[in-house]
C-alpha cells in the first residue's frame, strides 16, 4: 500500500501536482508557524510557532500524527533544528535565547537554555566542527553575530560579527552559509569556523528570505522577496553553472491589470535527501519541485489556501511537509483569526521529485 493509503503515482507528462490527498497534522500550533524540521533519524517532526512553543510530532506511515513533546520560549519561536543523532531539538526565539530539549532523557515538557544573544535569534543549526569530539550549535541573530556553542559550556566558544542582521543560515558537511540583511551572503568553511571563507552579495536584487545548501555541500540556493531563486556554487571553477530563475509569480487579471504580474516572496527551499532535486514555496500559497541540473520544473502544485512559511522533506524523502500560515508579507493589519494555520503532509510518490532523465548530447 502506498504512503497515506491512496496517494497516486504522478506522471512525468503531467507537470501539475495533486494535493487532494495531503493530510493535515493533528493539533497544530495556535498561532503563525515559523519553521518545521524532520528528524534525521526517525519519523518525528518539530514545529516552531509564534505561540512561543516548539512541538514534536510522531508521523505514521498512514499520514497520522500524534504530539509527543512540547517546550516553551518566553517569546515567539523563529526557527528549530535537530541534532544529527535525533535526540535533541533546539528552538531559536525572539526572547534572545536558544533552548534545547533532550528527548533521550524522557523529558517531554521542558527545555534548557543553551545560547543567548543581544537580540532575537533568527536561526540555529547543529554543526560538526573538524577535530571536535561532539556536535556544536551555531546560532544567528539580529544582533549581527553568529555564535558557536559547546552545549557543555555556558559561554560561546566563538563569535563572528556579520555585516548586518542574520536572516537565514544552513549547513551541510563543512559548508555553513549565512545570509544577512542588505543581501550579504557569508560562506564559512567549518574547518576554520571563526572567519569567512568568502563573502558575496546575493545574485538576487531584493531582500534574502532563505538560503539552503545542496546535499553535497558544493553550493546553495537563495530565495528572495522578489519571486526569484538563485542557484549558486561556492567555488569559482563551478561559476558557469550559477543561474537564477523567476518563480512564485502570477499574472494579474481584470480590465485594469495592464499585463502586470503579482510577485510573491520565496519563503522556503528544501532539497530532497535522495534525488538532490529541490522545492520552493512562497507567499502565493504554492510549492514547486525543481531539477537544478536540468534547469527544469518537475511539478507545480495548486494554491493551498494561504502563504507557505516553511517546508521540509522527511529523512527518506517520502513525505514533504509544508506549513500554511500568515507570513507577515502584507503587514500586521492583514493578520486575522480567519487565516489558515496548519501543517500539511504530502506523500512524495512516483517521479514527483526524481531528476529529469538525461538525454543524449546536443547536436
Amino acid at each position: 500500500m502506498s504512503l497515506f493509503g491512496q496517494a497516486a503515482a504522478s506522471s512525468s507528462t503531467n507537470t501539475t501536482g495533486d494535493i487532494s490527498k495531503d493530510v493535515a497534522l493533528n493539533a497544530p500550533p495556535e498561532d503563525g508557524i515559523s519553521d518545521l524540521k524532520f528528524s534525521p533519524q526517525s519519523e518525528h517532526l518539530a514545529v516552531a510557532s509564534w505561540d512561543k512553543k516548539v512541538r514534536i510530532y510522531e508521523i505514521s506511515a498512514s499520514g497520522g500524527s500524534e504530539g509527543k513533546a512540547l517546550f516553551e520560549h518566553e517569546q515567539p519561536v523563529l526557527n528549530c533544528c535537530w541534532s544529527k543523532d535525533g535526540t535533541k531539538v533546539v528552538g531559536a526565539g525572539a526572547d534572545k535565547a536558544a533552548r534545547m530539549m533532550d528527548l533521550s532523557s524522557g523529558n517531554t515538557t521542558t527545555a534548557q537554555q543553551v545560547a543567548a544573544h543581544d537580540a532575537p535569534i533568527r536561526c540555529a543549526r547543529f554543526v560538526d566542527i573538524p577535530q571536535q569530539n561532539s556536535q556544536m550549535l551555531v546560532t544567528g541573530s539580529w544582533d549581527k553575530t553568529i555564535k558557536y556553542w559547546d552545549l557543555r559550556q555556558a559561554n560561546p566558544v566563538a563569535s563572528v560579527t556579520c555585516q548586518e542582521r542574520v536572516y537565514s543560515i544552513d549547513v551541510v558537511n563543512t559548508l555553513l552559509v549565512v545570509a544577512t540583511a542588505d543581501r550579504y551572503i557569508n560562506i564559512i568553511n567549518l574547518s576554520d569556523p571563526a572567519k569567512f571563507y568568502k563573502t558575496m552579495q546575493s545574485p538576487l536584487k531584493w531582500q534574502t528570505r532563505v538560503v539552503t545548501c545542496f546535499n553535497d555541500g558544493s553550493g546553495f540556493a537563495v530565495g528572495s522577496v522578489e519571486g526569484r531563486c538563485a542557484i549558486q556554487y561556492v567555488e569559482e571553477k563551478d561559476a558557469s553553472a550559477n543561474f537564477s530563475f523567476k518563480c512564485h509569480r502570477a499574472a494579474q487579471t481584470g480590465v485594469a491589470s495592464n499585463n502586470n504580474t503579482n510577485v510573491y516572496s520565496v519563503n522556503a527551499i528544501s532539497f530532497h535527501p535522495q534525488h538532490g532535486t529541490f522545492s520552493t514555496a512562497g507567499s502565493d500559497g504554492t510549492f514547486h519541485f525543481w531539477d537544478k541540473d536540468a534547469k527544469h520544473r518537475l511539478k507545480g502544485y495548486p494554491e493551498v489556501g494561504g502563504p507557505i512559511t516553511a517546508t521540509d522533506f522527511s529523512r527518506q524523502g517520502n513525505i514533504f511537509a509544508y506549513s500554511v500560515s500568515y507570513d507577515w508579507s502584507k503587514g500586521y493589519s492583514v493578520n486575522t483569526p480567519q487565516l489558515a494555520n496548519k501543517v500539511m503532509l504530502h506523500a512524495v510518490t512516483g517521479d514527483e521529485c526524481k531528476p529529469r532523465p538525461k538525454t543524449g548530447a546536443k547536436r
Side-chain angles (χ1 to χ4, degrees):
M1 184 172 69
S2 64
L3 188 72
F4 300 179
Q6 300 296 323
S10 59
S11 167
S12 60
T13 59
N14 182 8
T15 59
T16 302
D18 181 16
I19 59 172
S20 65
K21 305 296 192 301
D22 293 3
V23 178
L25 195 71
N26 289 324
E30 298 161 2
D31 202 343
I33 299 160
S34 55
D35 197 22
L36 52 82
K37 288 287 186 297
F38 275 105
S39 165
Q41 298 294 336
S42 62
E43 307 313 316
H44 289 83
L45 180 69
V47 181
S49 171
W50 283 73
D51 68 7
K52 309 177 187 179
K53 298 179 179 68
V54 177
R55 295 168 171 82
I56 294 95
Y57 301 85
E58 183 175 16
I59 310 299
S60 70
S62 63
S65 53
E66 181 181 358
K68 290 294 184 180
L70 175 151
F71 65 90
E72 293 197 45
H73 280 247
E74 295 175 2
Q75 295 292 332
V77 190
L78 305 178
N79 195 234
C80 60
C81 65
W82 291 83
S83 61
K84 183 186 290 185
D85 64 5
T87 64
K88 300 174 181 67
V89 178
V90 166
D95 55 1
K96 309 176 187 177
R99 304 177 192 275
M100 182 182 75
M101 173 178 278
D102 186 349
L103 297 171
S104 65
S105 68
N107 169 39
T108 60
T109 57
T110 58
Q112 66 176 116
Q113 182 171 339
V114 291
H117 279 262
D118 295 330
I121 301 178
R122 179 61 183 87
C123 31
R125 290 288 186 275
F126 281 93
V127 295
D128 287 308
I129 308 291
Q131 285 79 53
Q132 293 291 324
N133 294 327
S134 61
Q135 270 205 311
M136 299 179 74
L137 185 73
V138 61
T139 52
S141 168
W142 292 343
D143 68 7
K144 305 181 183 180
T145 67
I146 61 167
K147 295 181 180 182
Y148 298 93
W149 305 84
D150 182 328
L151 299 177
R152 299 165 295 186
Q153 302 176 19
N155 295 315
V157 175
S159 178
V160 183
T161 301
C162 300
Q163 303 86 349
E164 252 292 353
R165 292 154 291 164
V166 176
Y167 282 170
S168 180
I169 67 174
D170 198 27
V171 62
V172 166
N173 303 327
T174 59
L175 173 67
L176 172 63
V177 182
V178 182
T180 75
D182 286 351
R183 299 171 45 245
Y184 286 102
I185 296 177
N186 300 301
I187 299 167
I188 295 174
N189 183 337
L190 290 173
S191 298
D192 193 2
K195 72 176 187 180
F196 297 143
Y197 173 71
K198 185 180 291 187
T199 292
M200 58 179 287
Q201 294 246 235
S202 169
L204 307 179
K205 295 179 180 179
W206 298 93
Q207 183 189 101
T208 303
R209 284 286 291 161
V210 60
V211 290
T212 305
C213 296
F214 303 165
N215 293 345
D216 63 1
S218 64
F220 51 93
V222 187
S224 76
V225 299
E226 66 184 296
R228 193 181 286 269
C229 179
I231 298 298
Q232 193 77 24
Y233 285 83
V234 173
E235 302 299 343
E236 286 300 320
K237 64 181 177 61
D238 300 318
S240 62
N242 296 340
F243 69 98
S244 64
F245 61 95
K246 297 176 182 178
C247 52
H248 300 281
R249 299 178 175 215
Q252 291 183 357
T253 57
V255 176
S257 64
N258 294 324
N259 295 319
N260 291 329
T261 299
N262 289 327
V263 178
Y264 299 90
S265 172
V266 179
N267 293 331
I269 298 173
S270 301
F271 279 86
H272 191 279
Q274 271 80 43
H275 301 314
T277 53
F278 68 99
S279 64
T280 62
S283 295
D284 60 341
T286 70
F287 63 92
H288 306 262
F289 295 151
W290 309 84
D291 180 347
K292 68 176 175 61
D293 299 323
K295 299 182 180 179
H296 177 73
R297 189 182 77 157
L298 300 170
K299 288 281 181 182
Y301 294 79
E303 204 273 330
V304 298
I308 299 176
T309 54
T311 62
D312 199 24
F313 287 101
S314 62
R315 62 190 176 123
Q316 296 175 331
N318 59 338
I319 304 174
F320 177 72
Y322 59 94
S323 57
V324 183
S325 183
Y326 185 52
D327 63 355
W328 303 97
S329 60
K330 295 183 179 180
Y332 74 92
S333 62
V334 181
N335 188 26
T336 67
Q338 288 72 42
L339 291 177
N341 204 58
K342 58 187 177 181
V343 174
M344 301 299 294
L345 304 174
H346 174 82
V348 179
T349 59
D351 57 9
E352 277 184 302
C353 284
K354 288 182 179 178
R356 192 179 190 184
K358 290 182 172 59
T359 58
K362 293 182 180 179
R363 294 184 179 180

